[in-house]
Amino acid sequence: MLFVAGFLSSAVNAVAGGGTFLTFGAMTLAGLPPIVANATSAIVQFPGYVTSALAYRREIRRDFREAAILGILSLIGGLAGALILLSLSNPSFRAMVPWLLIAATVIFAAGPLLRPGIPAEGTPVGMFGLAGQLLTAIYGGFFGAGMGIMMLAVLGLSKGGDYHRLNALKNFLAMVIAAVAIVVFTGGNVVGWLQAAVMIPGGALGGYAGVWLARRVPQALIRGLVVAVGLLLAVYYFVTG
């Protein structure tokens, strides 16, 4: 279950986002406390972000300057979010989880409406995009579910252009956020390394496969699966909380 969840999470992350729903849910069922499950999820999905970014390397090179600027903001925001998570106790975080899941699921489900891509191709990100990415990175370092679609929304509204070009930038920035979160969570000793060892190989394979899926499989199908998982997880935490 953990290996398959790792594969599928990285695959859907490469398409749009939402993989945290799958990894967080699988590790919850495996018995990990909420904060440990959330922290381990960041580590599990990191290889998938790396392989997805490699698969999109041509698109990333086209926007190298903006990728570097947004990457610095993502590093700062991811660090802040991860530190906020470590400041909470498991009971406190568990009480927040169902509400976070509901909010993330709504954002994810509304993704197509949040990505109009109004600006012309090649429009600079601007102050709105920079501020939006910083806030998204803070959220991503703290929880992460729905982070991908939030980044696509910010990039779509501020930069616009081809979907795959925006998706490539999103995967690169998600990699940066996950990397800094890994450092913080490892230092805070809140990682389930055994579960991570099972899921990481699946995540690495899923990240590369997800770019193939992004070009061929209807996104509505994958989006429906992720929304269903998010709602089921929220119900689970409301009932068991």
Side-chain angles (χ1 to χ4, degrees):
M1 178 186 70
L2 291 173
F3 181 87
V4 172
F7 178 89
L8 292 177
S9 70
S10 290
V12 300
N13 277 337
V15 175
T20 299
F21 291 121
L22 304 177
T23 53
F24 184 79
M27 283 183 280
T28 296
L29 293 176
L32 290 181
I35 288 180
V36 177
N38 188 43
T40 307
S41 181
I43 290 178
V44 167
Q45 294 181 75
F46 179 70
Y49 290 136
V50 173
T51 52
S52 296
L54 288 173
Y56 269 132
R57 57 188 176 275
R58 285 187 303 173
E59 287 85 352
I60 294 172
R61 278 198 296 265
R62 293 174 62 188
D63 293 306
F64 178 77
R65 182 176 176 275
E66 284 186 324
I69 295 172
L70 291 169
I72 293 172
L73 288 175
S74 297
L75 189 150
I76 295 170
L79 175 62
L83 290 174
I84 292 171
L85 177 68
L86 287 187
S87 70
L88 300 175
S89 64
N90 270 298
S92 298
F93 183 64
R94 184 182 178 87
M96 297 172 63
V97 165
W99 300 104
L100 288 169
L101 287 169
I102 288 290
T105 302
V106 170
I107 291 170
F108 189 83
L113 301 177
L114 298 174
R115 295 191 281 110
I118 294 173
E121 180 78 31
T123 301
V125 171
M127 290 304 298
F128 167 81
L130 296 176
Q133 180 57 33
L134 178 62
L135 293 174
T136 302
I138 294 172
Y139 170 81
F142 178 74
F143 188 50
M147 174 183 69
I149 198 62
M150 290 169 69
M151 280 195 280
L152 283 175
V154 170
L155 293 171
L157 290 167
S158 62
K159 181 177 176 63
D162 176 67
Y163 165 76
H164 289 292
R165 192 169 177 177
L166 298 181
N167 199 34
L169 195 53
K170 178 265 295 182
N171 284 330
F172 170 75
L173 298 175
M175 179 183 71
V176 173
I177 295 169
V180 69
I182 287 171
V183 174
V184 174
F185 295 150
T186 300
N189 195 29
V190 291
V191 178
W193 289 110
L194 177 60
Q195 291 80 2
V198 174
M199 300 178 80
I200 284 173
L205 293 172
Y208 202 86
V211 175
W212 182 90
L213 289 171
R215 302 184 191 277
R216 293 169 177 83
V217 177
Q219 291 183 41
L221 181 63
I222 297 176
R223 186 175 300 279
L225 170 65
V226 173
V227 168
V229 171
L231 291 175
L232 287 173
L233 280 176
V235 170
Y236 171 82
Y237 270 98
F238 273 123
V239 171
T240 61

